Amino acid sequence: MRRPKTLIAMSADVARRLITPPVRERLTAITDVDPDLVVCDFAGADLAETEVLYTSWGCPPVTAEVLAGAPRLSAIVHAAGSVKHHVTDACWQRGIKVSSAAAANAEPVAEYTLAAILFANKRVLDIAHIYRTTMRGHDWDALYPGFGNYRRTVGVVGASRIGRRVIELLRPFELEVLVADPYLTEDLGVAHVPLDELVARSDVVSLHAPSLPETRHLMNAARLAAMRDGATLINTARGALVDQDALVAELSTGRIHAVIDVTEPEVPPPGSPLYRLPNVLLTPHIAGSLGGELARMADLSLGELARYARGLPFEHGVQADALSRSA
């Protein structure tokens, strides 16, 4: 196995958390790399001999100007999810091979979503809040008639990698699962329905569609109003999928609930009602890989580097034509 000349391109903070001693050891065994050299700006970087870029969050765009100074660059291995922020059209025109650890990053998002679905239907957060503030028992069945997960309906919006994994994780539970995706042509073993039908039928609506011009405010005022009384909206995808003003208005009535990990803007302003509404669980974009979960992305990307070094095709390769329908 040859050791291709590799350059690490990501933010210094990400490199510190991602490239742990075990990752460093494997990286240097697979490639010819200086593990202490981390580039977060290609200006002035010596790319003349670089064959592979090992990237993650914080990698600057690989533009035509960058490629002009990197005549031997032939692969980008991304130890994170989306490559849209740094893999430019110039890379595809050059024929550069691209791999992504999106499959590894999908796992914690799907796990977060599963937990949110089960807690939402069981009304865990609401009951915990009431119990903590009143410090006494209540007739929970009277407060939340029919609460629980048995035979409830979960709607998955987007048969993306994460959406499909959520569907898989839900299989052991006695739930009815619906999926809405205009590009879905295969049978996922659950009912494939139009989005408006999914929204109207579901006790939980979970968003897993990419952020594209045509998906902006996919959950608009009309669709939010069409959600069932007591239903929960979960967004671990992108804030732009939801009309946030319309969501706040609907949530303020107390009619529906929400579990929100992504917003627009990324951090809501201090006065946002999302921070104080009792029917909202707001988290700061933590569903994806963090902490020990970064090791899963590192493992996948190192496996891809090893395949490249052996002359094998990527197992998790990214194709340019798929980016128009992905995150």
Side-chain angles (χ1 to χ4, degrees):
M1 183 174 71
R2 67 189 188 87
R3 296 172 65 242
K5 183 71 174 178
T6 300
L7 178 67
I8 301 170
M10 59 188 72
S11 76
D13 178 62
V14 170
R16 177 183 56 79
R17 293 182 286 121
L18 180 75
I19 305 177
T20 59
V23 171
R24 182 188 182 101
E25 183 177 351
R26 288 182 62 192
L27 186 60
T28 54
I30 296 168
T31 68
D32 177 6
V33 64
D34 179 354
D36 295 316
L37 177 60
V38 178
V39 172
C40 58
D41 185 347
F42 288 125
D46 183 3
L47 299 170
E49 301 300 318
T50 299
E51 184 178 347
V52 179
L53 286 177
Y54 185 57
T55 67
S56 190
W57 297 306
C59 177
V62 185
T63 62
E65 291 75 19
V66 172
L67 291 175
R72 299 187 60 189
L73 185 66
S74 60
I76 297 174
V77 175
H78 191 51
S82 176
V83 301
K84 285 185 176 181
H85 302 294
H86 65 294
V87 176
T88 65
D89 288 343
C91 295
W92 302 115
Q93 292 164 8
R94 166 81 78 85
I96 289 174
K97 298 179 178 67
V98 179
S99 169
S100 165
N105 193 47
E107 193 67 25
V109 182
E111 292 169 352
Y112 174 109
T113 303
L114 173 64
I117 290 169
L118 298 178
F119 266 35
N121 281 331
K122 191 69 173 177
R123 289 289 174 252
V124 169
L125 298 175
D126 304 288
I127 291 172
H129 174 72
I130 293 172
Y131 193 36
R132 184 173 60 248
T133 53
T134 64
M135 294 178 284
R136 63 181 179 85
H138 294 266
D139 184 345
W140 303 116
D141 278 307
L143 284 173
Y144 300 103
F147 77 114
N149 282 285
Y150 183 57
R151 292 184 176 176
R152 303 302 287 272
T153 300
V154 177
V156 175
V157 180
S160 60
R161 182 181 283 105
I162 296 171
R164 289 167 187 247
R165 183 60 179 144
V166 169
I167 290 171
E168 290 176 6
L169 292 178
L170 289 172
R171 293 198 193 283
F173 303 95
E174 294 179 276
L175 295 161
E176 180 183 10
V177 180
L178 313 176
V179 63
D181 189 318
Y183 299 104
L184 180 62
T185 57
E186 61 193 282
D187 183 6
L188 298 182
V190 299
H192 184 196
V193 300
L195 177 58
D196 288 335
E197 180 182 340
L198 179 149
V199 168
R201 288 175 55 184
S202 297
D203 298 293
V204 175
V205 176
S206 189
L207 304 182
H208 304 287
S211 180
L212 304 169
E214 56 267 35
T215 61
R216 179 169 177 78
H217 291 182
L218 190 69
M219 290 300 293
N220 54 25
R223 287 195 173 113
L224 291 167
M227 290 179 65
R228 300 175 65 173
D229 289 353
T232 300
L233 176 71
I234 300 174
N235 190 7
T236 58
R238 292 291 185 268
L241 296 181
V242 180
D243 181 337
Q244 198 158 287
D245 290 340
L247 176 62
V248 168
E250 196 69 50
L251 289 168
S252 296
T253 69
R255 194 183 67 81
I256 64 172
H257 300 71
V259 178
I260 306 169
D261 189 53
V262 287
T263 54
E264 190 180 43
E266 179 73 12
V267 178
S272 173
L274 294 177
Y275 288 118
R276 63 177 185 272
L277 284 169
N279 49 339
V280 176
L281 172 61
L282 178 66
T283 56
H285 204 162
I286 60 167
S289 298
L290 290 170
E293 294 162 339
L294 294 175
R296 184 190 284 116
M297 295 197 304
D299 285 343
L300 186 149
S301 58
L302 289 169
E304 293 289 79
L305 278 172
R307 291 181 66 85
Y308 178 83
R310 292 189 175 97
L312 300 174
F314 287 136
E315 188 175 353
H316 298 276
V318 179
Q319 304 302 320
D321 56 1
L323 291 181
S324 63
R325 299 196 304 272
S326 65

